[in-house]
Amino acid sequence: MKNIKLSALQENKRTVVRVGDVKVGEGFCVIAGPCSVENERQTIETAKAVKEAGAQMLRGGAFKPRTSPYAFQGLGLQGLKILKKAKEETGLPIVTEVIDTRDVPWVTEYADVLQIGARNMQNFSLLKEVGKTQKPVLLKRGMNSTIEEWLNCAEYILDGGNYDVILCERGIRTFETYTRNTLDISAVPALRELTHLPIIVDPSHASGRVSLIPALCFAAVASGADGIMVEVHINPSEAVCDQEQALGPEQFSHMMKKIRKLHKFMVDLA
Ligand code: PEP
Ligand code: MN
């Protein structure tokens, strides 16, 4: 693969990205939380519920890259402050998206992991900017991007001096319309042989349907992924953003029990 230097797998040495006490690349890491931070109660109650079910990090967008300019764009700084409070109450590290180079310095103050969304995967100025920070970066795959293009984007961050990159497969665009995207599960074992970086799966944006999410999570475990990032809302029927793919706390907790069992089975199998 062309120009894949710093992210290429060498001598089977794999990167473990440390986020507080959490190690991404060792065991199976679960990141969960709402699509967007809507208010304090929604975020903190969701954070408590996902923690109770065994999630290790909290996700939540304060800046939302929406298809329509008229859709909810996120609470911005207020959202980041709510995430900080949720972290204080639960101890869960925060994964949150940064969409603008100008925001990187101050989003970095609140985030434990900087998320680069699918729509920004090839925003090279943004990649260079997060490459200058010391914060782990969760780099989502662009919906129309090849694995090679994706790894080249990781390369930008590594080349900036930041080696803590987590790759996130979130589904790609195909001719299929039943699902929001098509989860490219083969990307997981493919990346295993190409790169030392940890790889997680986002079944929520890949499918866009609550009913399909558990099966995709199990597929992620079986494919050898290092974790998942899944959307959970304390009250899915009230979710402002991505309602059709929001798991409720009980669905999430039920699924988590099976994920942990399946992961143990896979470890024993190896
Ligand atoms: C998200 O994780 O909230 C998100 C916007 O996802 P993606 O960038 O994969 O569409
Ligand atoms: Mn979402």
Side-chain angles (χ1 to χ4, degrees):
M1 218 168 242
K2 257 196 187 161
N3 291 324
I4 305 305
K5 297 174 184 160
L6 301 172
S7 57
L9 180 65
Q10 271 161 15
E11 293 163 23
N12 219 24
K13 282 194 200 119
R14 305 208 170 264
T15 292
V16 174
V17 175
R18 282 161 208 271
V19 187
D21 295 335
V22 184
K23 292 176 186 161
V24 187
E26 226 177 79
F28 194 79
C29 175
V30 177
I31 304 168
C35 179
S36 64
V37 176
E38 297 165 15
N39 56 62
E40 192 171 312
R41 192 191 64 82
Q42 166 252 8
T43 305
I44 292 178
E45 285 186 11
T46 306
K48 287 183 176 163
V50 299
K51 176 165 186 177
E52 174 79 22
Q56 293 132 292
M57 288 198 243
L58 176 68
R59 63 146 289 144
F63 295 93
K64 296 307 300 177
R66 303 303 298 277
T67 301
S68 163
Y70 311 119
F72 176 59
Q73 303 286 310
L75 296 179
L77 179 60
Q78 191 199 344
L80 294 175
K81 289 185 173 161
I82 291 173
L83 287 169
K84 186 176 174 207
K85 206 160 178 194
K87 181 183 175 180
E88 283 163 5
E89 297 228 357
T90 59
L92 293 176
I94 302 299
V95 181
T96 198
E97 182 164 352
V98 59
I99 60 176
D100 192 312
T101 47
R102 293 166 294 188
D103 300 336
V104 171
W106 57 280
V107 174
T108 302
E109 288 178 30
Y110 292 87
D112 295 289
V113 177
L114 295 167
Q115 178 176 324
I116 302 291
R119 289 156 193 80
N120 272 315
M121 186 197 83
Q122 282 187 321
N123 181 337
F124 301 116
S125 345
L126 189 57
L127 298 176
K128 284 181 190 167
E129 212 54 42
V130 298
K132 289 184 209 154
T133 72
Q134 314 257 308
K135 284 281 153 106
V137 177
L138 189 151
L139 178 64
K140 291 192 130 194
R141 179 181 189 173
M143 55 192 89
N144 301 309
S145 304
T146 64
I147 290 175
E148 185 168 351
E149 287 162 343
W150 187 12
L151 282 178
N152 268 285
C153 293
E155 206 73 24
Y156 266 92
I157 304 169
L158 270 61
D159 187 50
N162 187 345
Y163 273 70
D164 288 328
V165 175
I166 303 160
L167 300 167
C168 178
E169 162 62 42
R170 47 79 73 205
I172 50 176
R173 276 223 170 136
T174 66
F175 50 80
E176 185 54 72
T177 53
Y178 183 69
T179 46
R180 184 173 176 179
N181 290 284
T182 297
L183 178 63
D184 180 11
I185 200 72
S186 61
V188 177
L191 285 162
R192 271 275 169 271
E193 54 188 33
L194 290 168
T195 179
H196 55 84
L197 297 171
I199 161 114
I200 68 167
V201 167
D202 171 349
S204 309
H205 294 88
S207 68
R209 287 174 181 263
V210 163
S211 61
L212 306 185
I213 290 172
L216 298 191
C217 290
F218 305 148
V221 178
S223 69
D226 296 297
I228 48 168
M229 178 159 84
V230 55
E231 288 188 347
V232 180
H233 194 285
I234 193 68
N235 190 351
S237 63
E238 285 178 10
V240 172
C241 185
D242 288 350
Q243 192 182 101
E244 323 68 42
Q245 64 193 44
L247 293 182
E250 275 166 29
Q251 288 168 310
F252 177 66
S253 159
H254 184 64
M255 182 179 88
M256 281 295 281
K257 290 190 183 96
K258 293 189 181 178
I259 287 175
R260 295 295 181 208
K261 275 191 195 160
L262 181 59
H263 183 252
K264 189 178 175 304
F265 177 80
M266 292 302 295
V267 169
D268 292 345
L269 205 60

